[in-house]
């Protein structure tokens, strides 16, 4: 399936282990309006940052790497239509998708434009970074308010947190 859809991409890191379990391809997308105080990556706030990359080109790289995928940023949900297309295609090749967002799971689920993403994401790392709740001991997140939402187990109903298999 060929697609003309493009995303603003800041960086792609192949084989990282800091944005989810195992080795992953992390795609950092441009643009964030949350502007959390203490954000570790304020350069990602610029919606015009990075470069325009097609979903097809991202899928080639993801397929070549053969890792599960994490979408981060910025906040991927500000490019929601393209992110849904990308996440759906990633899942169709049998890879898991983690997505970091400053929105909460409840906000995403209640928004008719954002909610379709939940059908193609395995874990949503949700909530804004809150500097006063910073905790360097937390797994895969920066502040205590953020959750690792196991999306398939949470649809529909109460939020279920993701737990490592070890």
């Amino acid at each position: 399936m060929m697609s003309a859809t493009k995303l603003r991409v800041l960086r792609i890191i192949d084989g990282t282990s800091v944005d989810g379990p195992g080795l992953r391809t992390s795609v950092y997308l441009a643009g964030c309006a949350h502007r959390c105080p203490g954000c570790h990556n304020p350069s990602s706030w610029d919606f015009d940052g990075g470069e325009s990359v097609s979903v097809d080109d991202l899928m080639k790289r993801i397929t070549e790497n053969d890792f599960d995928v994490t979408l981060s940023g910025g906040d991927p949900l500000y490019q929601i239509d393209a992110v849904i297309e990308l996440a759906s295609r990633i899942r169709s090749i049998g890879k898991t998708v983690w997505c970091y967002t400053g929105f909460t799971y409840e906000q995403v689920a209640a928004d008719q434009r954002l909610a379709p993403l939940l059908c193609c994401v395995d874990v949503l790392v949700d909530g804004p970074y809150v500097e006063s709740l910073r905790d360097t001991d937390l797994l895969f997140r920066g502040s205590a308010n953020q959750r690792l939402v196991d999306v398939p187990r949470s649809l529909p109903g109460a939020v279920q947190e993701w737990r490592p298999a070890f």
Side-chain angles (χ1 to χ4, degrees):
M1 164 172 71
M2 295 293 288
S3 172
T5 305
K6 295 189 177 231
L7 294 121
R8 296 297 304 179
V9 176
L10 295 168
R11 185 173 182 198
I12 301 171
I13 300 178
D14 306 313
T16 183
S17 61
V18 298
D19 294 325
L23 294 177
R24 311 182 72 77
T25 297
S26 285
V27 180
Y28 295 87
L29 300 171
C32 186
H34 301 293
R35 299 180 177 264
C36 303
C39 173
H40 77 282
N41 195 9
S43 63
S44 69
W45 298 350
D46 182 1
F47 287 93
D48 296 319
E51 62 181 308
S52 182
V53 180
S54 72
V55 168
D56 288 340
D57 286 342
L58 288 169
M59 284 305 299
K60 284 179 197 165
R61 186 156 176 180
I62 289 164
T63 303
E64 288 169 4
N65 288 331
D66 199 31
F67 299 130
D68 290 321
V69 178
T70 296
L71 305 174
S72 191
D75 189 326
L77 276 62
Y78 286 106
Q79 299 186 58
I80 191 63
D81 295 329
V83 166
I84 290 170
E85 180 180 333
L86 177 62
S88 177
R89 287 183 60 185
I90 294 166
R91 290 280 301 274
S92 76
I93 62 167
K95 299 298 176 193
T96 65
V97 177
W98 279 43
C99 183
Y100 282 76
T101 181
F103 296 101
T104 65
Y105 173 84
E106 292 80 5
Q107 288 172 313
V108 174
D111 187 303
Q112 68 182 32
R113 217 169 144 247
L114 302 178
L117 178 68
L118 298 176
C119 293
C120 43
V121 168
D122 297 281
V123 173
L124 189 74
V125 184
D126 81 335
Y129 172 74
V130 177
E131 196 168 20
S132 64
L133 298 175
R134 180 175 187 251
D135 185 343
T136 58
D137 291 330
L138 293 170
L139 189 62
F140 305 127
R141 57 203 189 277
S143 61
N145 64 298
Q146 296 172 314
R147 301 174 294 182
L148 304 174
V149 178
D150 183 330
V151 176
R153 287 184 51 224
S154 300
L155 287 173
V159 168
Q160 301 291 316
E161 295 223 18
W162 176 86
R163 302 276 185 235
F166 54 88

